[in-house]
Amino acid sequence: MDIQTDENSINIKANKTKGRSLALFFCIASSLLCILCFILMLVGYPAMNIAFVLTLGITGLLWVYRLLSILRQRDKFKRFANFIYRCYMIGIILSVGCFIFLQIMIMSAARSEDAQADIVIVLGAGIHGETPSAVLLTRLDAALEYAKSREKTPIIIVTGGQGQGESITEAEAMFRYLRLHDIAEDKIWKEDKSTTTLENLAFSFALIEDKDLDKEHLTIAIVTNEFHLYRAKHIAESFGYNVIGVAAKTPYISLRILYHFREAAAIIWQYLFK
């Protein structure tokens, strides 16, 4: 009996040691990945901005878990550490549940609608010098496909100001791309002051209102990537317009994953602070 008990104790200790070693491994691996993302962000990879924030958050959570695990092994801090640990785990579970719920909402809106729109608004997504980014190209191509499939070509509003590392405004780069693909100049309106999704839409609607168009009888197509449609449509509808969505497929699986995380955070920020 005593031999069996000793063997069980040894196995339990061995498993705990393995668990602590595995936790430490993940902490170190996550820290190294965070440093790598930070370096790539500094040398000019825009997508790494999101990756760095995500890995920083995950790294912080892992190190907190590691610290709590150590404190729970010490009698002096055990009671307090156990309480914090329970709060920590509840927070993790609630966060995961919230994230899953937000992803359901995002994916529910991630589809194109085929209704006829009078005006198409293409949301900006960054350029490199004068060249549209890969994400922005998918939006422009989706707008072209939509516009050319209509009996009557709608007005296309291209949006976006000039940011860091951009030689021209995003709107100008988009205008040039559409002209190269046979969209008539008088069918393209430029909104070249915005820096956020909210400004993209607010300034675009201001352009529409300056033209004295009948707001109640207009249908507006919002063109953006599928992960972005839920929030973009929600903002647009808050201005009182009849809105449909046109989804552009996000390039690269890595970008899709990163932007889905970022979009979940942006939705929470919008509901809490806007």
Side-chain angles (χ1 to χ4, degrees):
M1 185 70 176
D2 291 338
I3 294 173
Q4 185 67 39
T5 302
D6 289 343
E7 288 179 352
N8 289 337
S9 298
I10 292 170
N11 288 333
I12 291 171
K13 287 181 180 179
N15 288 333
K16 285 183 177 179
T17 302
K18 288 179 182 178
R20 287 195 290 269
S21 299
L22 189 61
L24 181 59
F25 168 79
F26 281 118
C27 286
I28 294 172
S30 181
S31 299
L32 292 174
L33 182 60
C34 183
I35 292 169
L36 176 62
C37 291
F38 180 70
I39 293 170
L40 290 174
M41 180 182 72
L42 290 180
V43 298
Y45 288 85
M48 287 300 107
N49 297 351
I50 310 166
F52 172 67
V53 173
L54 289 176
T55 54
L56 183 63
I58 292 170
T59 300
L61 290 174
L62 287 172
W63 279 110
V64 169
Y65 178 84
R66 171 68 178 160
L67 177 61
L68 289 173
S69 298
I70 294 171
L71 292 177
R72 290 175 72 205
Q73 304 301 316
R74 303 187 178 182
D75 292 337
K76 185 177 180 180
F77 303 104
K78 191 170 184 178
R79 194 171 183 180
F80 174 74
N82 280 334
F83 172 75
I84 298 298
Y85 178 79
R86 292 189 191 100
C87 294
Y88 173 88
M89 294 307 297
I90 290 170
I92 293 293
I93 292 169
L94 290 175
S95 297
V96 170
C98 179
F99 177 76
I100 292 171
F101 175 72
L102 290 174
Q103 292 308 314
I104 291 171
M105 291 198 301
I106 289 169
M107 288 186 284
S108 69
R111 57 185 178 82
S112 293
E113 298 167 80
D114 197 41
Q116 174 68 47
D118 304 289
I119 297 175
V120 174
I121 299 176
V122 188
L123 301 184
I127 59 176
H128 306 300
E130 298 183 5
T131 306
S133 64
V135 170
L136 185 53
L137 282 174
T138 63
R139 297 182 186 185
L140 289 166
D141 289 338
L144 283 168
E145 183 179 352
Y146 177 85
K148 291 183 176 181
S149 67
R150 305 298 103 183
E151 292 183 8
K152 180 183 177 182
T153 302
I155 296 294
I156 301 177
I157 300 179
V158 290
T159 68
Q162 185 174 348
Q164 186 176 2
E166 298 176 347
S167 303
I168 57 176
T169 64
E170 293 174 18
E172 178 61 27
M174 296 159 77
F175 173 83
R176 295 178 186 180
Y177 188 85
L178 294 177
R179 290 290 295 122
L180 284 173
H181 289 79
D182 303 321
I183 299 297
E185 187 172 343
D186 63 346
K187 289 290 185 179
I188 309 171
W189 297 353
K190 286 190 284 187
E191 179 288 295
D192 56 6
K193 304 297 182 185
S194 60
T195 58
T196 65
T197 298
L198 177 60
E199 290 181 354
N200 285 162
L201 293 166
F203 297 166
S204 294
F205 292 143
L207 277 178
I208 294 170
E209 289 165 8
D210 286 344
K211 302 290 183 180
D212 293 325
L213 299 176
D214 187 354
K215 178 178 179 179
E216 293 184 2
H217 294 91
L218 284 178
T219 298
I220 310 293
I222 306 297
V223 181
T224 188
N225 294 85
E226 68 282 272
F227 67 84
H228 195 210
L229 264 179
Y230 172 80
R231 184 163 62 97
K233 286 181 65 179
H234 184 268
I235 294 172
E237 287 166 353
S238 71
F239 284 88
Y241 284 87
N242 178 35
V243 176
I244 65 170
V246 177
K249 188 174 181 179
T250 307
Y252 316 124
I253 293 176
S254 57
L255 277 181
R256 291 180 209 173
I257 294 170
L258 288 173
Y259 278 115
H260 270 272
F261 274 96
R262 171 180 155 176
E263 195 61 19
I267 291 171
I268 294 172
W269 181 268
Q270 178 183 320
Y271 277 114
L272 292 178
F273 301 107
K274 297 294 178 70

